Amino acid sequence: MPAIVGTVALPAYALMPGGSGFETSGAFSLSVAEAQDVDVSGLANGAPLSSDAYSVTTKAEIDAAAAEAERATYGAQLNRSGAYYTPAQQAEGDDYPWWNETPDDYGGGLSPLRYYYRECVDFVAWRMNRDAGVTSAPWKWDWSNLAAGSAYAWADEWVRHGWATSSDPIVGSVAWFPYNHVAYVQSVNGDGTVTIEEYNQNSDHSYHVRVIPAGSALYLYPPV
């Protein structure tokens, strides 16, 4: 801080009875005037300087930290020890057999796979059965032996079962997202992207196809 050097000599003012405002007083005190003659340079130079350290965190920084925490969470779950298979790639298309059933939001019930109709988990469970050659009861995979009704729990349940998970996508694997969503990997593209098929990605209980960066999901390999 630069030194401030100043001498202040103030005139004395008084409110005069009966006057219209502030008027110059007829009385002047030299002692008062000299008391107002203050040299602050020595005080300013000798005063210790201090500041409170703080940092500003922007929304972009918060979002980046959250994304890094998510990557660390599912990155720690990578497990290649489980046996898995790679199904033959099939053409894109909505082959989900219960596409017109009433979803849970409107009072609908459970599908034959024991997940709610037209949820992401029910669609992926259907695809896993289809890839295993099962398209009717008795089903190979359903709620009882696959994973919970909440997609958020699927990565942990894959690890609990000892099934393989990886950051490398393969056709037929489950793309798992930590914001409570799963999708089916339809193809792995040469440009570092992945084509996924899914239901209910934006809460509309409908079929969608998207292309995503390969590094934006964890991949749960289909168990044997």
Side-chain angles (χ1 to χ4, degrees), residues 48-205:
L49 299 178
S50 65
S51 63
D52 295 327
Y54 65 94
S55 61
V56 176
T57 302
T58 65
K59 182 180 184 300
E61 291 172 334
I62 294 173
D63 291 344
E68 180 60 32
E70 289 174 352
R71 284 192 293 270
T73 297
Y74 64 69
Q77 295 174 330
L78 297 183
N79 163 39
R80 292 179 176 273
S81 62
Y84 62 92
Y85 74 100
T86 303
Q89 185 168 336
Q90 302 187 37
E92 295 176 9
D94 186 5
D95 60 354
Y96 177 67
W98 308 295
W99 61 270
N100 60 345
E101 294 289 343
T102 303
D104 177 52
D105 294 2
Y106 301 96
L110 300 177
S111 82
L113 304 179
R114 299 168 67 186
Y115 298 103
Y116 283 111
Y117 285 117
R118 296 165 62 182
E119 293 287 343
C120 63
V121 288
D122 199 52
F123 173 72
V124 171
W126 154 255
R127 280 294 178 85
M128 293 182 67
N129 277 285
R130 183 206 67 179
D131 289 351
V134 179
T135 56
S136 62
W139 302 97
K140 179 175 183 178
W141 302 111
D142 66 11
W143 172 85
S144 66
N145 63 355
L146 186 58
S150 171
Y152 187 81
W154 278 41
D156 286 337
E157 296 209 19
W158 241 253
V159 172
R160 181 176 62 83
H161 284 300
W163 298 338
T165 64
S166 177
S167 58
D168 299 322
I170 62 171
V171 171
S173 61
V174 180
W176 177 84
F177 303 91
Y179 55 82
N180 197 26
H181 185 62
V182 290
Y184 176 86
V185 175
Q186 196 276 333
S187 65
V188 180
N189 308 315
D191 61 355
T193 63
V194 175
T195 301
I196 59 173
E197 297 176 84
E198 60 200 339
Y199 254 73
N200 202 36
Q201 186 270 335
N202 56 2
S203 300
D204 64 356
H205 300 283

